[in-house]
Amino acid sequence: MTSTWQPLDHFLLMRGDDCLVLGHRLSEWCGHGPVLEQDMALTNIALDLIGQARLYYQYAGARLGQTEDQLAYLRTERNYFNAWLVEQPNGDFAHTIVRQFYYDWYENALLEVLEGSADEHLAAIAAKSRKEARYHRQFSSEWVIRLGDGTEESHQRMQVALNRLLPYVRELFENQPRHQMLIADGILSDVNGLWEGTEKEMKAVITEATLSFPVAAALPARGRDGLHTEHLGYLLTELQYMQRTYPGLTW
Amino acid sequence: MTTESLTRRFQDKIDQELKIEPKDWMPDAYRKTLIRQISQHAHSEVVGMLPEGNWITRAPSLRRKVALLAKVQDEAGHGLYLYSACETLGIRRETLIEELLSGKAKYSSIFNYPTLTWADIGAIGWLVDGAAIMNQVPLCRCSYGPYARAMVRVCKEESFHQRQGFEILLTLCQGAADQKAMAQDALDRWWWPSLMMFGPSDKDSIHTAQSMRWKIKRFTNDELRQKFIDMTVPQAEVLGLTIPDPELQWDEASGHYHSGPIDWEEFGQVLRGNGPCNAERLEARQRAHQEGTWVREAAQAYAAKQIEESKKVG
């Protein structure tokens, strides 16, 4: 059911899929945001993330002899390697912000080390993406604080969202056995080692927001192996509709 | 100074092609006309995000997805500048939005039609943005300064959108038979509603004469509609598509295309709320506003706390 991917290709797809799936989710807000300015801000982040996804797919595609669109539109659920967190539905604005917040802290920590990757192409993608990722993290952290320390209702909604989504976060910081050689070669780094510092920084923001960092067990998430929650199938059905309905055409 | 002499001075300024600025004296009716027109325009940008937004998650390639997302975001930006231009006339954005949500304010009827296929995204860019540009280019010379300046920026982006829409259709028309049929079907559905975007025929337009004297408007509805037809017919030929008007033909004597009659009954129905998507569009805006209430309240409460804090520190 799943194809065998080379470790680096798997990593590139995994990163591309995180960015595309989250970008897709954020794009669902377009035209429906709580206020025009935030509608535009979420769309900006969606644009950045889809742009980043394209960089990973183009690099993987060059290695695999496929186009970015073939990689995005013609792989099935079992060959999508995004983390569970990013495929979770938007929920209310609090859930969207919290999902973004957790993701942004992960992505920043990861890109910071990827900038020093022994693979120059990957290092260049990381350097370019990191500028955007910093701004995303600032945006989501500011909103965590604003909504956490806003009204009683916003505080409650934010705490619910933090609690609901934290169990998905640990997956992001798990080393994948199939990436071991890449880590040994200095192409990737040990993501597990990034957790402690990142957790501490996230806690500081959450505390400033007058919210509590949840205590929750991690879920047995295996998105990196192509095992997903039920949400991804629907997302891909929509995303891939045109390419599946009209195979092989140019748009 | 009497109202009469103020009015004379105001009209003189307009006649000399000078701009009216927010602090200048202006007749109430001028102010009201502008508030109506600019807010309708702003609402149209915001409601217009919905039919196009309908295809963001289904765009057929990553490149098209990014372009469409950026385009819809531009519409939100246009909405913002226009609400700001309108606020210079002494009305708050919140009030304008309430008027939209209660159904009191209008927006362009074109957005009450559904986007059924990907080709509709091309047709909206080509025809709807094309018609909007026809209307808006003369507004860059509108007598009211803030509106004129907002339109300069809006027009630049709209002409980019129009080219992008045309290019979507060109790709379809050069593609497979299914794709070309999709493009023709989109043109068939969007052509007449696009012509209706210019508003009622001059003989039935209640606002035109006064707006022309005030130089809010520079051309009549029928003049702009004719310009649009003259510009668009050759473009349809480039695409190899047929405009769904059996009476359409070049008229040597007038130097314009002659076109068939518009179904004003359909226009009236959509305007009265009976178009295919009127209820859905309004509900989508109402839902976004309602579900966003707690977010806006929280942002205000937080900002108020910050001000309190800074006072304590200060």
Side-chain angles (χ1 to χ4, degrees):
Chain A
M1 218 160 148
T2 59
S3 311
T4 317
W5 303 92
Q6 293 291 320
L8 181 57
D9 297 328
H10 174 270
F11 179 77
L12 294 172
L13 291 175
M14 174 193 119
R15 285 296 307 132
D17 295 346
D18 276 349
C19 294
L20 177 61
V21 170
L22 185 56
H24 182 101
R25 281 290 186 226
L26 291 173
S27 78
E28 293 170 359
W29 274 102
C30 186
H32 306 277
V35 61
L36 268 180
E37 286 84 345
Q38 299 327 313
D39 202 305
M40 293 174 73
L42 292 180
T43 300
N44 252 335
I45 300 175
L47 280 167
D48 286 346
L49 287 171
I50 298 171
Q52 290 176 23
R54 295 178 69 184
L55 298 176
Y56 291 110
Y57 291 151
Q58 284 162 7
Y59 183 22
R63 291 168 47 87
L64 295 161
Q66 294 199 43
T67 65
E68 57 173 10
D69 287 334
Q70 284 171 321
L71 290 173
Y73 291 95
L74 300 176
R75 274 179 303 136
T76 56
E77 289 92 319
R78 293 288 277 108
N79 284 294
Y80 253 78
F81 302 116
N82 60 279
W84 284 11
L85 177 73
V86 296
E87 71 197 41
Q88 296 312 301
N90 287 336
D92 64 0
F93 192 69
H95 279 75
T96 293
I97 289 295
V98 167
R99 185 183 61 198
Q100 195 63 36
F101 171 78
Y102 286 146
Y103 176 80
D104 290 339
W105 279 94
Y106 155 72
E107 194 183 45
N108 275 273
L110 178 69
L111 293 176
E112 192 176 338
V113 293
L114 280 185
E115 267 188 278
S117 170
D119 182 308
E120 279 178 20
H121 197 144
L122 190 55
I125 294 176
K128 184 175 187 298
S129 307
R130 198 169 161 221
K131 291 189 195 104
E132 296 167 351
R134 275 206 204 109
Y135 162 75
H136 303 165
R137 183 179 64 186
Q138 188 189 338
F139 172 84
S140 60
S141 299
E142 281 171 7
W143 273 98
V144 164
I145 295 168
R146 188 174 289 127
L147 295 174
D149 193 16
T151 60
E152 205 178 305
E153 181 182 1
S154 69
H155 179 88
Q156 266 175 17
R157 283 178 184 262
M158 287 301 282
Q159 192 62 59
V160 168
L162 283 172
N163 297 352
R164 176 73 177 79
L165 294 173
L166 186 75
Y168 295 94
V169 176
R170 278 314 297 265
E171 182 190 15
L172 298 164
F173 293 88
E174 276 165 17
N175 287 330
Q176 302 301 311
R178 64 174 113 189
H179 294 160
Q180 249 166 15
M181 281 303 289
L182 297 175
I183 296 176
D185 293 344
I187 292 172
L188 298 192
S189 56
D190 163 24
V191 279
N192 195 21
L194 301 173
W195 169 246
E196 215 173 298
T198 309
E199 186 192 26
K200 212 170 128 192
E201 290 178 297
M202 289 195 297
K203 265 184 184 161
V205 178
I206 289 173
T207 306
E208 191 186 340
T210 73
L211 294 160
S212 4
F213 194 77
V215 182
L219 289 168
R222 287 182 59 197
R224 305 321 194 182
D225 292 328
L227 289 164
H228 291 277
T229 62
E230 289 175 349
H231 303 295
L232 186 67
Y234 291 96
L235 187 150
L236 293 182
T237 302
E238 207 171 323
L239 177 84
Q240 298 179 338
Y241 163 68
M242 291 293 288
Q243 293 278 350
R244 298 285 187 193
T245 310
Y246 302 98
L249 300 185
T250 302
W251 301 94
Chain B
M1 224 184 281
T2 62
T3 309
E4 204 179 305
S5 60
L6 284 166
T7 308
R8 200 173 326 112
R9 220 204 214 174
F10 166 83
Q11 189 63 48
D12 282 349
K13 222 169 156 181
I14 287 180
D15 293 343
Q16 290 166 49
E17 297 288 334
L18 295 171
K19 294 284 179 238
I20 306 299
E21 294 299 336
K23 286 183 176 156
D24 296 346
W25 184 90
M26 62 185 86
D28 273 350
Y30 177 83
R31 188 184 299 275
K32 274 191 193 139
T33 298
L34 279 168
I35 290 177
R36 179 178 53 79
Q37 184 171 336
I38 302 174
S39 68
Q40 270 183 21
H41 191 166
H43 298 328
S44 301
E45 297 283 357
V46 173
V47 176
M49 295 169 75
L50 299 169
E52 292 183 278
N54 184 40
W55 278 88
I56 290 170
T57 56
R58 289 178 293 168
S61 70
L62 293 176
R63 182 173 77 92
R64 293 292 186 201
K65 192 192 241 352
V66 167
L68 179 58
L69 196 49
K71 184 197 169 185
V72 180
Q73 188 191 34
D74 283 347
E75 313 293 355
H78 298 171
L80 274 184
Y81 329 136
L82 288 163
Y83 283 127
S84 303
C86 205
E87 283 190 313
T88 64
L89 291 158
I91 187 159
R92 294 177 63 228
R93 178 167 144 196
E94 289 76 11
T95 311
L96 298 171
I97 289 173
E98 278 161 27
E99 286 176 0
L100 169 69
L101 299 178
S102 70
K104 189 182 156 203
K106 297 271 179 256
Y107 56 86
S108 180
S109 277
I110 193 86
F111 300 120
N112 292 316
Y113 290 87
T115 50
L116 302 177
T117 71
W118 171 251
D120 290 20
I121 298 306
I124 288 186
W126 176 42
L127 299 173
V128 176
D129 292 330
I133 293 167
M134 278 293 162
N135 271 325
Q136 291 168 8
V137 167
L139 288 173
C140 298
R141 292 190 293 130
C142 162
S143 59
Y144 188 58
Y147 191 28
R149 290 187 288 271
M151 290 324 296
V152 172
R153 194 162 159 191
V154 170
C155 282
K156 274 189 199 147
E157 292 179 351
E158 292 293 6
S159 73
F160 176 72
H161 296 164
Q162 198 212 4
R163 281 201 300 277
Q164 195 169 281
F166 184 81
E167 200 260 321
I168 288 177
L169 291 178
L170 190 61
T171 306
L172 297 182
C173 291
Q174 291 170 345
D178 272 353
Q179 289 173 300
K180 190 162 185 192
M182 196 187 272
Q184 181 64 54
D185 171 61
L187 174 58
D188 291 346
R189 285 180 290 109
W190 290 94
W191 175 253
W192 292 105
S194 299
L195 296 189
M196 293 175 199
M197 281 177 72
F198 295 93
S201 178
D202 294 347
K203 61 183 180 0
D204 302 316
S205 174
I206 47 174
H207 301 299
T208 296
Q210 180 60 70
S211 284
M212 301 263 292
R213 270 195 297 281
W214 279 334
K215 297 194 179 168
I216 294 174
K217 247 178 135 150
R218 300 274 175 170
F219 300 97
T220 69
N221 295 351
D222 287 335
E223 283 167 352
L224 290 167
R225 190 169 8 246
Q226 186 64 51
K227 268 184 150 180
F228 175 73
I229 294 169
D230 291 344
M231 179 192 79
T232 310
V233 174
Q235 295 176 351
E237 282 165 11
V238 172
L239 292 172
L241 297 175
T242 308
I243 287 179
D245 177 356
E247 289 186 36
L248 189 77
Q249 59 176 347
W250 177 250
D251 178 37
E252 201 62 63
S254 66
H256 293 293
Y257 281 92
H258 164 80
S259 53
I262 289 176
D263 179 0
W264 292 112
E265 172 56 23
E266 175 182 328
F267 178 75
Q269 282 297 333
V270 180
L271 206 62
R272 281 191 292 277
N274 303 321
C277 302
N278 295 58
E280 269 173 81
R281 299 292 185 238
L282 205 53
E283 278 163 15
R285 289 314 310 159
Q286 287 163 343
R287 193 165 49 243
H289 189 78
Q290 200 182 349
E291 288 175 0
T293 304
W294 71 269
V295 178
R296 295 189 300 274
E297 285 172 359
Q300 271 178 1
Y302 179 77
K305 282 185 204 177
Q306 294 307 104
I307 292 168
E308 278 303 304
E309 285 294 312
S310 65
K311 273 187 198 156
K312 272 185 220 159
V313 176

